[in-house]
Amino acid sequence: MRNICVIGTGYVGLVSGAGMADFGNSVICTDIDRKKIEMLQAGEIPIFEPGLKELVDRNVNASRLTFSADVESSIRDAEVIFIAVGTPMGENGEADLKAVEAVAKTIAKNLNGYKIICTKSTVPVGTGARLEALIEQEKESEFEFDVVSNPEFLREGSAVKDFLIPDRVVLGVSTERASDIMKAVYRSLYINETPMVVTNVPTAETIKYASNAFLAVKISFINEMANLADKVGADVHTIARAMGLDGRISSKFLHPGPGYGGSCFPKDTEALVFTGAQHGVNFQVVKAAIEANKSQRNVILAKAKELVPDLKGKTVAILGLAFKANTDDVRDTPALEIIQGLEAAGASVKAYDPIAAENMKKFFLPNLDTRDSVLETVRDADLVIILTPWNELRGLGLKDLKEHLNAPNIVDARNILSVEQLKEFGYNYRNVGRSNI
Ligand code: NAD
């Protein structure tokens, strides 16, 4: 059991803080956002993440997990400090490390004993060394510290399970002391024989970008394959399934759609390209994946225009705003550019999402016309576009739906509807890589 402080109580900080408490550690989660901390202290969860409330409640009730808006005292009370603040995209694609560095300075000023400072935020290679120099320069005491890299691989929507039962834990350490303490933090995973990759800090930092960039490449690859399938009458799902049966390829991340989004892949691929350029490495494959991803939004818009060539004055119903199902996160969601493209073509947009509508209005489109149900959204629409594969949308009653529409046009950008049913009920449809089967 270790005394831990997690700074930054967002998607990663809250899930990993609660998860590490579940492993038996004593954890304080802190954040500069007082409102968030007040909500958590009142037993409310500020984000939508399946199973998170139960995990938090269980550990709060067992007195292993607390929340504090006092970042400084939380640091002083802990031996292991996890930095889990945001690292958004900077102006030139680089990771913006302002929040990480601000936190490192606060830690330096509050070093009241030996501490481990561990980056859980996704940070470019070299950040650990940078933080070490910064803390050494800013600290006002003689206490020692170690900087560790422990990148996080959880996925929004299944974050609790991913954290509690991970495929692997990566620890970048430079001393045995730090290595022993980090293994103690993850002791319950260690005894479950979860693979632990213990390596140096630059390797751990690079593993995270390598993993995300590879997955982004896989998505862009299958999207381009889907675009070919559309032209030649092939079925991309059968292609993906057959590819995935090859153990060297695996079936994961071979789902075509409107392109990847969210708070990780877009910024992490750009940041990797930026880091490569700094070191004279041209990441041609990753650059191509980024370009293909940007084009994929236009592929969906082109499909909309195939069904409704002149969108001016037409009503389009958007079903799904979150970048993926089971999250309220709309950062870099494909829905944003697609809605903007439709509006630029003169369409008026109505939208529905079971969870993410509020965030879309709050962060990006304050005037978006959002509705509370699918049927209210599609009423009198000339075109429906499905952008998020929510379970609720997978089960759409297509017969009933058609009666509410002005014209039976559907772009299923997630391939969640049955092609047989779309044909049976007389829809004009497009999907991704199966439109001509
Ligand atoms: P987030 O925006 O949900 O949370 C970040 C939190 O940090 C916010 O609550 C914010 O108020 C807080 N914060 C910012 N500056 C602070 C400061 N100076 N002091 C204290 N708190 C501060 O972000 P997130 O999605 O949890 O991502 C955090 C990091 O984890 C990023 O580097 C991201 O790339 C990485 N990551 C994210 C995911 C994911 O699925 N979201 C997965 C793996 C890794």
Side-chain angles (χ1 to χ4, degrees):
M1 192 278 266
R2 295 285 161 170
N3 287 327
I4 291 173
C5 159
V6 179
I7 306 180
T9 308
Y11 289 87
V12 164
L14 182 55
V15 173
S16 49
M20 288 187 287
D22 216 50
F23 296 156
N25 299 290
S26 172
V27 180
I28 308 175
C29 285
T30 183
D31 202 290
I32 41 166
D33 184 341
R34 279 186 168 268
K35 237 174 96 193
K36 209 176 248 187
I37 295 297
E38 278 163 16
M39 279 180 82
L40 287 160
Q41 286 169 333
E44 293 165 42
I45 304 293
I47 53 170
F48 176 84
E49 188 60 52
L52 184 55
K53 170 111 179 94
E54 292 77 0
L55 182 72
V56 168
D57 286 352
R58 181 162 77 232
N59 287 286
V60 167
N61 292 338
S63 306
R64 288 187 297 258
L65 178 64
T66 52
F67 301 99
S68 167
D70 186 342
V71 178
E72 301 204 348
S73 78
S74 304
I75 292 169
R76 288 197 296 273
D77 288 345
E79 178 189 24
V80 186
I81 298 152
F82 283 86
I83 304 178
V85 298
T87 48
M89 199 192 302
E91 257 175 39
N92 302 309
E94 76 281 20
D96 178 344
L97 295 177
K98 275 195 221 69
V100 171
E101 288 177 351
V103 167
K105 284 185 190 168
T106 311
I107 296 170
K109 302 277 180 239
N110 289 281
L111 208 61
N112 59 342
Y114 169 78
K115 292 188 195 295
I116 285 183
I117 295 117
C118 177
T119 49
K120 201 162 243 324
S121 298
T122 302
V123 292
V125 60
T127 303
R130 223 165 119 179
L131 294 186
E132 197 172 322
L134 183 66
I135 296 168
E136 198 57 63
Q137 182 194 313
E138 299 279 325
K139 73 178 190 179
E140 294 165 354
S141 65
E142 286 312 307
F143 293 110
E144 290 184 358
F145 65 93
D146 277 306
V147 171
V148 166
S149 166
N150 173 216
E152 183 49 57
F153 298 94
L154 62 77
R155 296 161 297 176
E156 287 173 19
S158 56
V160 169
K161 182 177 145 286
D162 288 348
F163 190 83
L164 297 179
I165 316 167
D167 290 338
R168 78 305 208 183
V169 172
V170 173
L171 298 174
V173 291
S174 50
T175 67
E176 206 149 308
R177 186 180 190 184
S179 172
D180 289 346
I181 295 173
M182 291 306 296
K183 284 178 189 163
V185 166
Y186 285 107
R187 199 180 120 71
S188 55
L189 292 182
Y190 215 65
I191 51 184
N192 280 345
E193 297 189 358
T194 300
M196 298 267 165
V197 180
V198 182
T199 180
N200 64 22
V201 174
T203 307
E205 291 170 336
T206 308
I207 287 169
K208 175 65 190 174
Y209 284 95
S211 303
N212 274 5
F214 188 78
L215 293 173
V217 167
K218 239 181 141 178
I219 294 173
S220 279
F221 179 88
I222 201 66
N223 280 338
E224 291 197 323
M225 208 48 74
N227 296 341
L228 176 67
D230 269 334
K231 303 277 189 240
V232 298
D235 178 1
V236 74
H237 282 200
T238 309
I239 295 169
R241 182 165 167 270
M243 284 172 67
L245 290 170
D246 184 331
R248 295 169 301 177
I249 296 174
S250 123
S251 58
K252 304 273 171 65
F253 277 76
L254 288 179
H255 301 284
Y260 57 77
S263 66
C264 292
F265 289 0
K267 77 172 174 61
D268 293 348
T269 45
E270 294 279 1
L272 182 62
V273 168
F274 186 88
T275 300
Q278 280 182 319
H279 295 275
V281 177
N282 184 8
F283 274 105
Q284 299 179 72
V285 174
V286 181
K287 280 184 190 167
I290 294 170
E291 284 316 307
N293 196 60
K294 287 180 184 157
S295 310
Q296 197 64 13
R297 310 317 198 220
N298 294 331
V299 169
I300 303 302
L301 281 170
K303 286 174 189 289
K305 286 178 189 161
E306 276 168 32
L307 296 181
V308 184
D310 184 6
L311 284 162
K312 202 156 190 249
K314 296 290 194 312
T315 301
V316 181
I318 296 288
L319 301 183
L321 295 167
F323 82 96
K324 64 191 276 194
N326 291 324
T327 184
D328 58 353
D329 200 341
V330 290
R331 289 177 281 186
D332 262 313
T333 178
L336 180 58
E337 281 169 61
I338 290 169
I339 290 172
Q340 287 167 338
L342 292 166
E343 287 179 342
S348 72
V349 171
K350 290 193 280 177
Y352 169 75
D353 189 288
I355 300 289
E358 204 182 307
N359 275 350
M360 192 65 153
K361 289 172 81 138
K362 183 169 156 196
F363 296 114
F364 297 112
L365 299 173
N367 299 322
L368 182 65
D369 178 1
T370 58
R371 304 295 173 106
D372 291 334
S373 73
V374 170
L375 291 184
E376 230 186 285
T377 313
V378 301
R379 187 166 300 133
D380 297 328
D382 300 288
L383 169 68
V384 175
I385 306 182
I386 296 178
L387 289 179
T388 313
W390 286 101
N391 273 345
E392 180 187 343
L393 302 179
R394 288 176 194 273
L396 277 186
L398 291 178
K399 189 160 180 267
D400 193 25
L401 189 86
K402 192 176 168 190
E403 283 161 21
H404 287 73
L405 295 174
N406 195 33
N409 296 314
I410 290 194
V411 177
D412 176 9
R414 297 289 188 167
N415 293 356
I416 57 174
L417 302 179
S418 147
V419 172
E420 288 71 30
Q421 280 193 13
L422 286 165
K423 283 180 183 162
E424 183 187 338
F425 296 120
Y427 280 92
N428 306 315
Y429 68 89
R430 293 289 184 276
N431 47 35
V432 191
R434 321 186 73 202
S435 291
N436 295 315
I437 60 164

